[in-house]
Amino acid sequence: MKYFSTQNNSPLAGFREAATRGQAPDKGLYFPCELPVLPKSLIENLSSLSKAEIAFQVISPYIGSEIPADALFRICEETVNFDFPLVDINDSISSLELFHGPTLAFKDVGARFMSRCLGYFSSGSDKKLTILVATSGDTGSAVANGFLDVENVNVVILYPSGKVSNIQELQLTTLGRNITALEVSGNFDDCQALVKQAFLDTELNSRLNLTSANSINVARWLPQQFYYFFALQQWKHEQMPVICVPSGNFGNICAGLIAHKTGMPALHFIAACNCNDVFTNYLQHGDYLPKPAVATYSNAMDVGDPSNFVRLLELFGHSVGNMREIISSCSVNDLQTTDTIREVEKNFNYLLEPHGAVAYKALKDYLDLHPGQKGIILETAHPIKFREVVEKATGKVVEIPESVKYLHGKEKQSIPINPDFQSFKDFLMEGKFS
Ligand SMILES: *Cc1c(COP(=O)(O)O)cnc(C)c1O
């Protein structure tokens, strides 16, 4: 499989090059040159296939021969070795719980796949790979966890001091081994600026093999197709589902749509947004008008210019009309979000967190207008990660899941740095983390 850049000004790249570069040299996003056609047998035999077999069949055409089948199968097995239950909330809405991975967020899937691919490519290479990640919380922990103990790869995470939750900080700072956490006395933008400048620094790049792990990387984006198939595998109804995805940078829904284009059955997609409604407005009026992000309860979707919008354009031949045939979008505000968390807990005894609640509200409104249809929301994080909002909405305490109890009493190991590039560069040049 070859990938082109959405800016059309870079040479075509294979999977290895696209995954190692992250972004194309012309700053475009990599997109597959031709979309595969999924084998009919995959959909027909879905119920009898294992998760790893499904993942392997879905992703193989995108990798081609760049990772041998047996190694790719093992990567798939490790990527999806936790549960993805589809839970009925009521008669018409089911929740695909994507928070049973090691960091309790759906980003685990993409991060685990990407880390193992890069680990595969860099094994046997004489130069270690150093991944730089700036994080406001979820991305850093998923990436750090995904890369833990991956050979020949070091991860340096930059997070804003005092601005991530307690659980998130422990997830970032207690892994050790090939993971180093830098606690930056600044905000997320400071962290991101340091990382961006590092990629532009010639001296640094000649010393270290630097790469990023952000969500535009094809190795993080494409494996997000997997769980749409896991949802269908558990879908009990005759009619195909309406699939509602809480969206920020639109990587997740774009993966669902590429799966659909290549043969995965679905009735309709909804991009559920919070007050950051550029895409909702685009579908309505046909004009794409990015704007600064505003802060909401569903903060992983506080994005004013979704990076994967260009991929949506590619997928639909740059036509808003084509998009409208299969996608709709809805913007949900904070008050509606907490009302939804409260009502769903009260009426159906099901606990949503803010991102899932945005999706629930968007899907419910859609189904009210389309009687007889049924749908799935993607629940992208565990309620414990948004504990304050959830507890305030329901008046009940969120139980701490077993899988994070081990963090209790652990000591954070972080290196404090100021948000100035020279100290960051000195730290990297000394190479103490490797
Ligand atoms: C990242 C994230 C999203 C948004 O996903 P996109 O692929 O950026 O649209 C939604 N919910 C949670 C909990 C997230 O961490």
Side-chain angles (χ1 to χ4, degrees), residues 181-198:
L182 299 182
E183 184 172 353
V184 179
S185 53
N187 57 27
F188 171 67
D189 290 335
D190 295 323
C191 299
Q192 192 143 38
L194 289 175
V195 168
K196 281 193 175 155
Q197 204 173 340

Side-chain angles (χ1 to χ4, degrees), residues 104-107 138-139 215 220-221 224 227 245-254 272 298-303 306-308 353 355-356 378-382 385-386:
L104 311 181
F106 84 101
K107 291 190 170 67
D138 271 2
T139 300
S215 61
R220 256 188 79 185
W221 171 50
Q224 299 182 85
Y227 37 73
V245 186
S247 298
N249 267 317
F250 283 67
N252 196 357
I253 194 167
C254 201
S298 45
N299 57 25
M301 315 199 297
D302 294 348
V303 180
S307 48
N308 284 286
E353 56 68 59
H355 306 77
L378 270 50
E379 181 43 292
T380 45
H382 191 286
K385 297 194 102 170
F386 298 90

Side-chain angles (χ1 to χ4, degrees), residues 122-178:
S122 66
S123 70
S125 142
D126 52 352
K127 217 170 170 190
K128 279 199 173 191
L129 203 58
T130 301
I131 314 262
L132 301 181
V133 212
T135 186
S136 54
D138 271 2
T139 300
S141 40
V143 168
N145 208 286
F147 278 96
L148 183 64
D149 284 338
V150 172
E151 238 181 280
N152 262 327
V153 180
N154 287 309
V155 178
V156 177
I157 306 167
L158 294 86
Y159 74 96
S161 181
K163 297 199 172 60
V164 302
S165 75
N166 188 29
I167 286 189
Q168 283 174 334
E169 182 166 41
L170 290 174
Q171 283 177 330
L172 293 172
T173 56
T174 59
L175 292 166
R177 303 209 274 264
N178 59 332

